Amino acid sequence: MFPHRHLLGIEGLSPADITTLLDLAERYAQANRSGVKSDPVLKGLTQINMFFENSTRTQSSFEIAGKRLGADVMNMAMQASSIAKGETLIDTALTLNAMHPDLLVVRHPHSGAVNLLASKVNCAVLNAGDGRHEHPTQALLDALTIRRRKGRLHRLTIAICGDIAHSRVARSNMILLGLMENRVRLVGPRTLMPAGVDHMVAEMTDDMAEGLKDADVVMMLRLQRERMDGGFIPSEREYYHRFGLDAEKLKHAKLDAIVMHPGPMNRGVEIDGLLADDINVSVIQEQVEMGVAVRMAAMELLARNLKTGPAVADANAP
Amino acid sequence: MTTTLINAKLVNPDSCTENLGWVSFDNGTITATGTDTPPAGPSIDAQGKCLAPGIIDIGVKIGEPGERHKESYKTAAAAAAAGGVTTMVTRPDTTPVTDTPETLTFAMRRAAEASPVHVLPMAALTKGFEGREMTEIGFLRDAGAVAFSDADRPVQNPKVLSRAMQYAAGLDALIVAHPQEPTLSKGAAMTSGPFAAKLGLPTVSPMAERMQLERDLALVEMTGVRYHADQLTCGVALEVLKLAKAQGLPVTAGTSVHHLTLNTFDTDDYRTFFKVKPPLRSEEDRMATVEALAEGLIDVVSSMHTPQDEESKRLPFEEAASGAVALETLLPACLQLVHAGHLDLPTLFRALSLNPARLLGLPAGRLTPGAPADLILFDPDAPFVLDRSTLRSKSKNTPYDGRRMQGRVLRTFVSGVEVFAR
């Protein structure tokens, strides 16, 4: 049971929705690993990936997920499309809608753009990241990775570190991990903390030692230099010195703490390269693997509702 | 021929009273008023509804020249008449900018042809709003400009601004400023706070308003120019205004109806009709602004009428244009504050009519003999649900669409001539 027409954000999902999705994703993760062919539950459905922002890993992850489940997948390179000719987002949406796709996967550089688009089309929309707002499948794949490694997804201490202000990954993770009753800490320089975020989580600090103390999970974020308009940090070397994760700083966390990163990494800026490759602590490759499984699950759940409509009133509707 | 409006509840902002009475006017001017037996002759029975001086709305944007597809003098005037606005004080942010006497004269001629309500233009303070050279303030004043403003693009260079202020002070010209620190405000779509953090939109702190106001006030103290802040919207800036007024500086301040009646939570679901400039504030700041209005610290309430077509609003929030139309909804939205018990009708009309008139040196805004017969008759209690498609403005970008409102204008008179009747 997944009572939603779209997946626009973690906000609006219930703990039960999240568990349903993760349980299904877990099955796909095992199937993917063992090489067992999954049932083509998306057979006959058309999935369009619309990426208004460059992406390699998320787009290919969605593409593989769709193809493994038998969907006809089409990628639209939005930079080269009519958007560049001045067409508005809504006109593009209406044009696509007229072609009757079933699943629309959208990434857009502006917060709220995917919600806007979802309100204009008849198909199921999956948010693949909008501005600084949400990136739900990333939070879900992080949650699945944590659950596999820690055996549970509750009562864990999780430090989210780095560029919180520009990160949709941080926002979705804060909401999801809070919803599942974990202790979430934000760690980073004050210039990279959005004003008012203290209302969303209980703990904030600009000291890595304090922030990582007894953490079960250390989630590093990419320093989003392309979203910055200058002057958030004095230099990358000072940032690395104070906030970059290395083995020394990781000692403050629990002995069995895991290190996560949504990628792509800036090695030597927010994370030490050796640490990122250390298979004893780093789960970064597993995150990528879980990404495909989570996206298969999300698309399957939404596709089930395409035929019947959401089971109950949709809290996630735009 | 003298006409008398009888049996009306006179909302008199000058004496701060509401009494049942009558108003006579002849030849476009109020000739007598009273609360006793009305004089004989032709009369209009107001049936106990409210009669007030017409609204003088400072800061109306009209798309002429340049953006007639968004609003023309004709459509704006129709909206104004229906909203009880008898004088529109227009902004200079036209295309091209109203920064020469020629452009100003063109706009005034269009207004005279198309508008049944009074139109008084503001002109740019610096050429092309570029903040480098002052405009021909003297010529523009002679051509009819009632105030000088760079609209929502504050002059960044203090030297340029101080010279323009000095020059304007010599002509006793009024400067209307937009006190928002431009570098902090750049790119901001929302006021910073927990809600903006949730939506992930670029933000600006209300402190940007206070910073720019403090800078401007230092220059006012230096030059002695008459200064009006177009919109003050937050507690931290209102404190600064209070000090400046206590100090005796020639300062007045306005606010917009949107900042009095909406707050940042209304931006939920990225609804771009709620994107205004400066962005909507927290509920605490909204209440601080309402209180400042009630106690007279804020002098003027305006619509900040900003027409935007569907194309400029049907975009992701960050990309969407700012502004809302409000000529028609100004009074009903303000009456919400009266119904909620925050202020009484005469106090409201001080801010809507009397104070703007005083600021611009107009005889209007009063219910006294000798004042122009710019009058509105309204029912403060009449309920309705706003349907934006019924608005008379060419653009329908109102944040009040679908809202239950109370209070409607029944008749509008401009210089004694009825320009609207419901």
Side-chain angles (χ1 to χ4, degrees), chain A:
Chain A
M1 208 49 102
F2 190 75
H4 304 281
R5 197 175 144 209
H6 307 296
L7 181 64
L8 302 178
I10 297 298
E11 200 184 16
L13 298 185
S14 69
D17 294 337
I18 292 167
T19 307
T20 304
L21 201 150
L22 295 184
D23 288 348
L24 182 59
E26 176 69 44
R27 294 222 306 273
Y28 281 128
Q30 283 165 10
N32 287 343
R33 206 170 261 193
S34 61
V36 178
K37 203 118 175 78
S38 300
D39 286 340
V41 291
L42 300 184
K43 193 171 170 55
L45 300 185
T46 308
Q47 171 195 342
I48 300 183
N49 295 336
M50 280 172 91
F51 280 63
F52 295 89
E53 220 178 36
N54 281 326
S55 160
T56 314
R57 54 183 65 222
T58 307
Q59 186 171 342
S60 36
S61 180
F62 268 108
E63 186 173 352
I64 290 170
K67 285 184 170 158
R68 287 220 174 123
L69 294 178
D72 299 315
V73 186
M74 187 189 136
N75 288 312
M76 290 189 64
M78 296 316 295
Q79 270 88 358
S81 82
S82 40
I83 285 283
K85 297 175 195 157
E87 189 176 64
T88 65
L89 179 64
I90 289 187
D91 284 337
T92 307
L94 293 178
T95 305
L96 274 180
N97 194 46
M99 303 178 198
H100 301 294
D102 302 288
L103 295 156
L104 205 53
V105 179
V106 187
R107 167 169 288 190
H108 196 279
H110 291 310
S111 305
V114 182
N115 299 49
L116 177 69
L117 203 142
S119 68
K120 305 290 173 194
V121 296
N122 300 322
C123 57
V125 176
L126 289 102
N127 182 358
D130 63 325
R132 314 166 176 190
H133 179 221
E134 282 231 41
H135 190 355
T137 53
Q138 178 71 41
L140 288 162
L141 72 88
D142 288 344
L144 182 59
T145 311
I146 294 170
R147 197 171 82 168
R148 287 166 65 100
R149 285 298 181 119
K150 292 291 163 192
R152 65 176 196 271
L153 189 58
H154 56 91
R155 297 180 68 183
L156 294 165
T157 300
I158 295 156
I160 304 179
C161 311
D163 184 358
I164 315 283
H166 298 97
S167 175
R168 52 195 172 215
V169 177
R171 259 175 202 79
S172 288
N173 265 314
M174 272 186 263
I175 301 171
L176 189 150
L177 295 169
L179 203 58
M180 305 308 278
E181 300 183 2
N182 295 283
R183 186 169 172 180
V184 180
R185 281 189 203 137
L186 301 182
V187 193
R190 291 181 190 191
T191 46
L192 294 175
M193 291 283 179
V197 77
D198 47 320
H199 288 252
M200 295 176 77
V201 292
E203 296 171 76
M204 280 168 63
T205 174
D206 54 5
D207 176 15
M208 282 288 271
E210 190 190 319
L212 262 51
K213 191 171 182 322
D214 297 330
D216 296 289
V217 176
V218 181
M219 203 178 265
M220 300 307 297
L221 297 172
R222 187 168 64 87
L223 194 64
Q224 302 213 25
R225 285 171 287 190
E226 76 278 9
R227 275 185 218 283
M228 295 187 180
D229 50 10
F232 284 87
I233 52 163
S235 70
E236 285 182 1
R237 60 180 192 174
E238 178 163 329
Y239 184 80
Y240 181 64
H241 176 71
R242 293 190 60 208
F243 299 101
L245 187 68
D246 54 20
E248 198 58 38
K249 292 199 188 81
L250 190 60
K251 280 182 187 161
H252 296 284
K254 282 196 184 146
L255 265 177
D256 62 347
I258 55 169
V259 172
M260 307 179 78
H261 194 297
M265 284 182 279
N266 297 310
R267 288 171 190 259
V269 179
E270 71 257 350
I271 191 162
D272 174 58
L274 286 176
L275 186 66
D277 297 334
D278 182 348
I279 52 164
N280 294 315
V281 294
S282 165
V283 296
I284 296 169
Q285 292 311 314
E286 187 169 336
Q287 285 175 274
V288 178
E289 187 188 348
M290 290 309 119
V292 176
V294 155
R295 284 162 186 137
M296 288 167 81
M299 289 196 286
E300 185 190 337
L301 289 174
L302 292 180
R304 281 184 202 166
N305 290 342
L306 279 179
K307 290 159 200 143
T308 56
V312 292
D314 186 355
N316 213 354

Side-chain angles (χ1 to χ4, degrees), chain B residues 100-156:
Chain B
T100 61
E102 290 75 17
T103 317
L104 190 84
T105 311
F106 166 80
M108 287 176 75
R109 197 176 65 237
R110 286 286 308 133
E113 283 164 10
S115 170
V117 306
H118 303 299
V119 176
L120 297 173
M122 294 195 273
L125 182 63
T126 67
K127 288 176 188 161
F129 288 170
E130 282 174 359
R132 283 204 287 269
E133 281 178 88
M134 70 177 93
T135 50
E136 295 169 316
I137 296 176
F139 277 157
L140 285 161
R141 194 197 54 166
D142 294 346
V146 294
F148 295 85
S149 170
D150 274 4
D152 60 3
R153 267 153 288 185
V155 179
Q156 244 173 312

